[in-house]
Amino acid sequence: MKKHILLSIGIALACTQARAQAFRSGWVLPMQGDTLRGEVEDDDWEEAPTRVRFRAAPGAAITTLSGAEVRAFRLARGRYFRYETLPLDRAAQTALPMLSNALPRNPQPETFLAEVLVDGPASLLHTVVNAVPHYFVRRPSQPVLELAARNYLRQQEGHAQVADGNNYRTELAQYFGDCPAAAQAIGTFQTPALVKVVQAYNRQCAAPLQPGIEYRPATYQRIGGYAVGLVAGGRYNSCLLRAEKPGAMLDGYNLDGAVHPIGGVFADVSTPGRRFAVHVSATLTRIGRREQLATASPNLTAQLNNQATVLELRFGGRYFWANTRQEQHFFVGTGITVPGALGSQEATLLYYSSNQQLQQIDYLLNAYPSGLLPYLEVGVQKNRFTLAIDGRVQRSTETYSLSSYLPMTGGVYYFTSNSYSGRAWYVGATLGVALLWKP
């Protein structure tokens, strides 16, 4: 249970740090055809873009191009990407599970949309692969120099320690060995510091002396979206009982086994571009059944009533990805549900004699879901509408106790007659309609 709670909290925290995504003024130069001017979707790229989405004006049809179909694109006063063939060393790793005792180097030429940071006599380009930053320095009459963050494991006193294998200082000093200004400008392995090195060469050692054009990401106001509305649908519940003593009353009986309507309200708060969303909802549904049961005695009839209205509060997160052709956003989600039965917390089993006199009352304890229960869901969202399929297992094994009450002369007598085990679960489908909505 703690793992599910921590997972939900982690998703909610990730929502505050998710990547931004919105349309910005810009242009796209396709491999075939003229330059397209209008708005480009800012996906706040870390790795090389694999697609570029463009529209001529707000509300216009969206054109999606694969990375291989784009020669270059730029956001106005912002980032600039160009289709380049560069030596990319995918052996460079910084994640602990991927590290080895060796420090392999295996740069291979690859073609992709690299981000241009400086464009001049000496240029600086950038991309990220598996969370590892890669920089590419290019100057006249020299091969491209790739610089990448890389770690490895070093044995010291019988223990493995993570060591930094990034030798960028020496590599830059050798690459710009004929330019003291550039060599002296070498600082940290960060974009601003590397830009200074390249620009020092352009300003003081290039022929002719000419500072390169710097392309820096523009600062945009990051605004998320929201949706508040109604949700309705249906849910199939099941809870099959197995008695500790075979043949006991309710052995093999499903406390529910039916489809019930569900309805309520929901609210989503999403990051820009709907990559992540915090999802909360409050819903009402019915569970259980009321019916007559067969008994071992022909002189007795039994009636079970475990119907109840359940209020569920849900707190979770959703991760979205888009179907770019239909503008549908598919998602997966998880979180916790806090359910509570309204009214009695016990199911009742009533026994009547042939003359309809009450003979015995049994109370089935733990008949309704309770506690913090995890759930999983998948769905699709388009504009104001959200279709979701979700499910939950209450607990792997729940214990149910059947306590009996017999009217007796001179007092009341309670005893426990049987114990049961069961696994409560449900699967349902809902349709949400946002009444207040901002994408």
Side-chain angles (χ1 to χ4, degrees), residues 331-351:
F331 65 85
V332 294
T334 186
I336 57 172
T337 300
V338 185
L342 304 181
S344 173
Q345 300 298 303
E346 300 166 341
T348 57
L349 183 61
L350 308 177
Y351 296 85

Side-chain angles (χ1 to χ4, degrees), residues 11-12 19 48 133 207 304 323 328 338 364 385:
I11 290 177
R19 297 178 293 174
L304 175 70
N323 178 330
Q328 297 167 341
V338 185
L364 186 66
F385 299 94

